[in-house]
Amino acid sequence: MMHFKKRPALSLLKGCAALALACASAAVLAQSTGWPNKPIKLIVPYGAGSSPDVIARIVGEKLGPRLGQPVIIENRAGGGGNNGTGLVAKSAGDGYTFLISTNGPLVYNTVLYSKLSYDPFTELRPVVLAGGQANVCAVRADSGIHTLQDLVAAMKKNPGKFNFASTGVGSLSQLGVELLKVKTDTYAVHIPYASSPLAILAILQGDVQFACVPAVAVIPQVKAGKLRTLAVSTAQRSQLTPDIPTMKEAGLSGIENLAWMALMAPATTPTDIVQRMNQEINTVLAMPEVREKLHAQYMEPIGGSVDSLQKFMQQELRVMTPVIKRTGVTID
């Protein structure tokens, strides 16, 4: 069951002030080596406008001046996030290439794929858990579907006539719907897209009938009167979208999840550089103007230590492995 109401790992993400002190010596060490002395590349394995792209640009804008070098955002979309994630996993750990990726390529795909071109647990090293957000299930405003139960009823009445969009094969936006299908004994065809804006465009164009994707792509179209929200994926209502019911409140329990984004580095990246990046990003995430910008994009900054992210990813793997197997989804 996708249930993240009580996450032991998330309790480890507190105490950034203490973390900053612990990382001070690492920061001095990194500075003494002359790092960084050229621009830093931050790879986003999804398209422009996707949630990782948005948070990368918001954080990167403040991170660059703190490091004294530009942070260049490079989009490498494709393969449900695997292409860009794998690229960084195979990159030299020289401290000038980093990654901001998501649940799927960093954890879930190790279960979904019989063979990946990279191992996120051995070829990448955690830097910091940057942020998280709820997925919002939505349909076109003129669809005649007003509730989650309406959607389920429509799929049962019209088998084989519903398609749903996701942000990529193996993404949480796919797995959440796959579990919904299992629990309601319904069927819909999965159509993956390179980003949440493209998934939303597919709904608007009528290529798919619904999607459960990050709120940042959904809410503007809701405000424009083009989409209708049905439910939010988190166990509790999001403070950023308080009017949208949870899946349980909408009549379907046991589908609760958080879409998260983490900064990673090639496994051979020096520890002092990783710790310096962790310290600086935690500082950036704590800035009121950064938090305000992230909240405007329906994202919650998280932060925390390198070790807490490593434990968080391992916990996600333990929790999600049986969930993925329950959906029956495999990718080869």
Side-chain angles (χ1 to χ4, degrees):
M1 182 174 70
M2 286 191 183
H3 185 69
F4 296 101
K5 186 173 182 181
K6 294 182 179 179
R7 286 183 168 189
L10 285 179
S11 65
L12 299 168
L13 303 178
K14 300 178 180 179
C16 289
L19 171 65
L21 292 173
C23 292
S25 60
V28 172
L29 179 58
Q31 289 172 332
S32 69
T33 64
W35 179 91
N37 57 25
K38 63 180 181 179
I40 292 172
K41 186 186 300 182
L42 181 53
I43 302 294
V44 177
Y46 298 94
S50 62
S51 296
D53 179 73
V54 169
I55 197 169
R57 294 180 189 278
I58 291 173
V59 171
E61 181 183 12
K62 297 292 185 179
L63 180 63
R66 291 193 62 81
L67 294 175
Q69 292 290 339
V71 175
I72 300 171
I73 311 301
E74 185 174 315
N75 298 91
R76 291 294 189 97
N82 285 345
N83 292 357
T85 303
L87 174 68
V88 177
K90 304 298 182 183
S91 296
D94 58 4
Y96 293 96
T97 300
F98 291 87
L99 166 77
I100 184 160
S101 195
T102 63
N103 314 44
L106 293 179
V107 177
Y108 306 160
N109 289 357
T110 62
V111 182
L112 287 164
Y113 287 77
S114 60
K115 186 176 182 180
L116 278 177
S117 63
Y118 64 94
D119 185 337
F121 289 94
T122 62
E123 294 182 279
L124 291 168
R125 63 181 305 176
V127 178
V128 67
L129 184 57
Q133 60 186 158
N135 280 336
V136 175
C137 295
V139 294
R140 269 176 45 161
D142 61 0
S143 66
I145 295 171
H146 294 266
T147 67
L148 189 63
Q149 292 297 334
D150 286 348
L151 175 62
V152 171
M155 285 195 290
K156 288 185 175 181
K157 186 177 180 179
N158 303 280
K161 295 185 178 181
F162 274 71
N163 301 329
F164 74 95
S166 80
T167 55
V169 175
S171 66
L172 195 60
S173 61
Q174 178 196 3
L175 294 176
V177 176
E178 296 291 355
L179 189 55
L180 182 151
K181 288 162 53 179
V182 169
K183 292 180 69 68
T184 59
D185 193 26
T186 53
Y187 178 77
V189 176
H190 172 227
I191 301 180
Y193 291 86
S195 67
S196 48
L198 291 177
I200 292 301
L201 181 61
I203 301 179
L204 298 176
Q205 292 177 337
D207 298 327
V208 301
Q209 283 65 53
F210 70 103
C212 297
V213 295
V216 62
V218 177
I219 302 302
Q221 298 300 333
V222 172
K223 291 180 177 178
K226 297 179 180 180
L227 292 182
R228 176 180 293 117
T229 60
L230 305 179
V232 68
S233 68
T234 44
Q236 298 177 337
R237 291 197 187 204
S238 169
Q239 294 181 356
L240 303 177
T241 54
D243 296 331
I244 305 176
T246 65
M247 289 277 196
K248 185 176 182 179
E249 290 173 333
L252 190 60
S253 62
I255 304 178
E256 300 163 359
N257 48 71
L258 175 75
W260 50 267
M261 295 150 283
L263 200 89
M264 309 289 289
T268 54
T269 305
T271 297
D272 62 303
I273 291 177
V274 170
Q275 292 287 3
R276 170 84 187 279
M277 281 289 282
N278 174 276
Q279 176 191 359
E280 297 293 358
I281 293 173
N282 270 304
T283 299
V284 168
L285 290 173
M287 293 177 178
E289 62 269 33
V290 169
R291 297 180 70 85
E292 183 178 350
K293 286 183 178 181
L294 291 175
H295 285 166
Q297 298 297 318
Y298 304 95
M299 299 179 189
E300 286 285 1
I302 298 177
S305 69
V306 171
D307 289 343
S308 67
L309 173 54
Q310 184 174 42
K311 292 175 182 178
F312 176 75
M313 289 174 59
Q314 292 168 344
Q315 172 72 0
E316 282 280 272
L317 182 62
R318 287 192 294 269
V319 170
M320 288 301 297
T321 295
V323 171
I324 292 170
K325 290 183 177 179
R326 185 179 176 188
T327 68
V329 176
T330 57
I331 306 166
D332 291 302

